[in-house]
Amino acid sequence: MKTTATIRSEIDKFLHHHRLTINQFARLSGVNSGTLSSILNGHRPMSMQQLDKITHCMGLEDGDFYDMYIDEVIFHLTPDWRRLGPFLQRCAQLGKLDSLDKAARMVMDNVSYAPMLFELAESFYHSGRNEASMLLYECVAESEKSQHSERLALCQYRIFTLKLSDDQEKNLQAAVQFEPYIDKLDERYQLDAYKNLLNTYSALHRWGEVERLSRRMRQAAKMLYSENRNAHQVQDYPNKPVIFYILYSYLMESHTYKERGKFDKALELISYYEKPDWLDNLSQEELIITDQFSEWAKANRYLYRLLSGQADSLNVYVEFISSNEDEIFPALTHIMIAANRHHLQVDHILERFKEYIAYQPRKSRIGTVDEQVNINNYTRLLAELGIYYLNAKRYETGLAYIVDSLEYSIRIRSEKGMLRCMGLFEQFRPFASPENQQRYQELINEVQKLSVYAWIPVL
């Protein structure tokens, strides 16, 4: 019959192999000899601190016995948060996430543990232990999936933000999973949740969702603003003053009309965030916000006219963004879209701003621009540069940019971007240099590994 190993049997084996007495091992490990004797005789459970001392003394990796400890100590007796809590904290500290997940899931059926697991998840989240916090949030969400509580909604929000990455396909899945819970969120988190959803859908070019959520965020923000003028001064309220979310909703809604070619409607909405006359007694932070939106409004007024075909807006737009370094990088994408759409010659602009073509994080006076939006914008910029040079019959330069855009499209899992780049490269393949052909083929091999393009031949 096979004997299942236990922590006690492993300690006994170690003592026998090294010919140590309990007293000798107690001195080496720092565990009281009487306590150690009781543990080995099965008369008392060992604490986390004692287990770590014993493990270290045996020359084993920290946490080596944790899976055994879960079965033998934490759940062999009636589960006790005084044992479970420190154990989960130690697992997170050591990165023993499998053990953490196993222990947390063993108490999921007992709803009384949900508040404590949630508070611990929040502690992990705020200290940057994201993987550990994600596991606990998922456990709490699963345990409370039928409760429709604020805690469940916050768990789903945390899971959503933790899942956001460069992968657009996964971002879409995370957004769709979270959105049904947004109305259950406490007001402290709801407006930022709307903003994060808007940015996610914007990066995915899902303009219908962006328009719908912009209006919902504006309604929630206006209600909060009218109820409590100084709400943003409350600790742990939205990350920014409430007026930011109202103005941002107008900005994003106008952006959806611009993307769909409804420039008159986009221009009409600019006035709502350019000079909001319904504001008074602004704080210093609110003044910075309104000034930033006013600046964006002026830039967008030039941009929308340019994109609609008013070529005389190009020079005015360029001069405006040249005075604001933070706006040059994103503006280049719009300039290239307009150039390709309306056959404009912009070589002099590209030469003037060539140092801004390389990828860089974008910021403004009121914070850093969302990374999803930024990297998606850069992927589009590379493609538009490629199209511009291909139209000018500068094939080598154009195809190099197309290959660059394909590389970034793969990075962010943008199926639309990949298809655009592959179509363009194949169209102009006869003009590609051996170097560009080789880079392209290497990237195509990466595309074929992605699940969206996976295929199985029928034999």
Side-chain angles (χ1 to χ4, degrees):
M1 178 182 294
K2 184 178 178 179
T3 302
T4 303
T6 64
I7 298 175
R8 289 198 301 274
S9 68
E10 291 298 310
I11 297 172
D12 282 333
K13 188 188 303 183
F14 181 86
L15 295 179
H16 178 74
H17 179 76
H18 292 277
R19 298 181 181 181
L20 293 172
T21 66
I22 291 178
N23 286 337
Q24 289 172 327
F25 187 71
R27 285 196 299 271
L28 292 172
S29 65
V31 179
N32 179 273
S33 59
T35 300
L36 182 59
S37 178
S38 295
I39 289 172
L40 293 176
N41 290 324
H43 295 151
R44 64 180 296 174
M46 70 180 77
S47 68
M48 280 294 305
Q49 185 180 31
Q50 291 162 350
L51 176 63
D52 286 341
K53 287 181 177 180
I54 289 170
T55 304
H56 181 73
C57 185
M58 293 173 67
L60 300 174
E61 179 185 344
D62 287 341
D64 195 77
F65 289 131
Y66 279 10
D67 282 347
M68 291 183 185
Y69 189 76
I70 293 171
D71 296 325
E72 295 176 31
V73 178
I74 295 180
F75 292 102
H76 179 69
L77 306 172
T78 302
D80 186 335
W81 185 254
R82 289 175 297 177
R83 288 191 294 270
L84 179 60
F87 176 77
L88 295 175
Q89 291 186 39
R90 185 63 173 151
C91 285
Q93 183 181 355
L94 296 176
K96 305 286 287 187
L97 299 182
D98 288 343
S99 297
L100 182 148
D101 189 47
K102 178 181 177 181
R105 290 189 177 280
M106 289 180 75
V107 296
M108 278 176 51
D109 291 338
N110 189 338
V111 294
S112 65
Y113 279 94
M116 292 172 284
L117 288 173
F118 174 76
E119 290 302 323
L120 187 56
E122 285 284 273
S123 172
F124 290 160
Y125 177 82
H126 290 295
S127 62
R129 291 175 177 164
N130 293 340
E131 291 181 277
S133 66
M134 170 83 85
L135 292 173
L136 294 188
Y137 285 132
E138 289 177 336
C139 284
V140 176
E142 178 66 22
S143 176
E144 298 200 333
K145 60 185 177 183
S146 60
Q147 302 299 314
H148 307 290
S149 63
E150 286 185 4
R151 182 165 55 231
L152 172 62
L154 184 52
C155 282
Q156 293 291 355
Y157 177 46
R158 296 293 197 219
I159 292 169
F160 164 61
T161 58
L162 289 168
K163 283 185 175 180
L164 292 177
S165 67
D166 289 344
D167 191 323
Q168 289 192 349
E169 184 180 358
K170 291 182 179 178
N171 289 348
L172 176 59
Q173 294 171 357
V176 171
Q177 178 181 329
F178 163 63
E179 189 179 335
Y181 298 93
I182 195 167
D183 288 335
K184 292 289 184 181
L185 273 177
D186 186 277
E187 290 177 337
R188 289 177 293 172
Y189 308 101
Q190 193 175 81
L191 295 181
D192 284 310
Y194 272 119
K195 179 178 68 70
N196 289 333
L197 269 180
L198 281 172
N199 290 338
T200 300
Y201 283 132
S202 176
L204 293 163
H205 296 177
R206 299 177 75 92
W207 306 120
E209 282 86 347
V210 174
E211 180 183 356
R212 174 176 55 83
L213 289 170
S214 294
R215 293 174 177 176
R216 286 178 59 186
M217 180 172 77
R218 183 159 64 245
Q219 181 181 15
K222 282 186 172 181
M223 185 177 299
L224 184 57
Y225 184 80
S226 63
E227 288 176 354
N228 190 345
R229 171 65 181 81
N230 295 315
H232 68 277
Q233 296 176 0
V234 179
Q235 187 178 8
D236 285 337
Y237 236 75
N239 287 329
K240 301 182 187 299
V242 176
I243 66 166
F244 165 84
Y245 303 92
I246 299 174
L247 300 179
Y248 193 65
S249 73
Y250 285 120
L251 173 67
M252 292 302 289
E253 187 175 351
S254 71
H255 185 58
T256 69
Y257 292 123
K258 179 262 290 183
E259 290 293 330
R260 290 178 287 186
K262 299 179 179 180
F263 298 109
D264 289 343
K265 186 67 174 176
L267 284 165
E268 180 184 325
L269 279 169
I270 285 179
S271 61
Y272 288 97
Y273 62 87
E274 183 175 23
K275 294 180 180 179
D277 55 9
W278 45 273
L279 295 174
D280 57 12
N281 298 321
L282 297 178
S283 68
Q284 184 60 38
E285 186 177 7
E286 289 173 327
L287 282 170
I288 294 173
I289 289 171
T290 54
D291 285 347
Q292 178 65 86
F293 275 95
S294 179
E295 186 175 275
W296 285 335
K298 292 175 184 175
N300 286 339
R301 198 177 297 280
Y302 299 134
L303 170 62
Y304 295 169
R305 290 170 179 164
L306 173 62
L307 291 172
S308 68
Q310 298 180 35
D312 57 347
S313 296
L314 176 60
N315 290 334
V316 182
Y317 182 52
V318 168
E319 291 309 312
F320 183 84
I321 60 114
S322 67
S323 63
N324 188 339
E325 188 174 8
D326 293 333
E327 297 301 318
I328 296 173
F329 174 60
L332 284 174
T333 303
H334 298 128
I335 290 171
M336 296 315 302
I337 291 173
N340 291 331
R341 183 179 296 171
H342 302 295
H343 310 291
L344 305 177
Q345 208 285 330
V346 295
D347 281 16
H348 62 292
I349 296 174
L350 293 177
E351 177 62 27
R352 178 177 177 179
F353 298 123
K354 59 185 178 183
E355 63 185 281
Y356 294 93
I357 292 176
Y359 179 77
Q360 52 190 294
R362 182 189 168 200
K363 62 183 186 302
S364 72
R365 281 180 285 175
I366 57 177
T368 302
V369 174
D370 186 89
E371 183 64 12
Q372 297 177 71
V373 175
N374 206 35
I375 196 169
N376 182 72
N377 180 67
Y378 185 62
T379 305
R380 180 70 182 275
L381 170 61
L382 293 172
E384 295 295 337
L385 284 167
I387 293 168
Y388 179 77
Y389 286 115
L390 290 174
N391 287 336
K393 298 183 179 181
R394 295 166 63 179
Y395 300 117
E396 187 65 18
T397 302
L399 288 172
Y401 276 120
I402 295 299
V403 174
D404 287 341
S405 183
L406 176 59
E407 183 175 355
Y408 271 86
S409 296
I410 294 170
R411 173 177 167 181
I412 64 176
R413 301 295 191 266
S414 171
E415 183 175 353
K416 182 178 180 180
M418 287 184 255
L419 291 172
R420 177 175 57 226
C421 293
M422 289 188 290
L424 285 166
F425 193 93
E426 293 299 337
Q427 181 180 350
F428 292 92
R429 180 188 279 273
F431 302 99
S433 66
E435 292 78 12
N436 275 333
Q437 296 232 28
Q438 181 178 350
R439 277 191 66 208
Y440 176 72
Q441 189 55 53
E442 290 171 353
L443 292 173
I444 288 298
N445 293 338
E446 293 299 313
V447 172
Q448 291 172 340
K449 295 175 184 178
L450 301 179
S451 60
V452 290
Y453 292 102
W455 60 279
I456 301 175
V458 178
L459 301 179

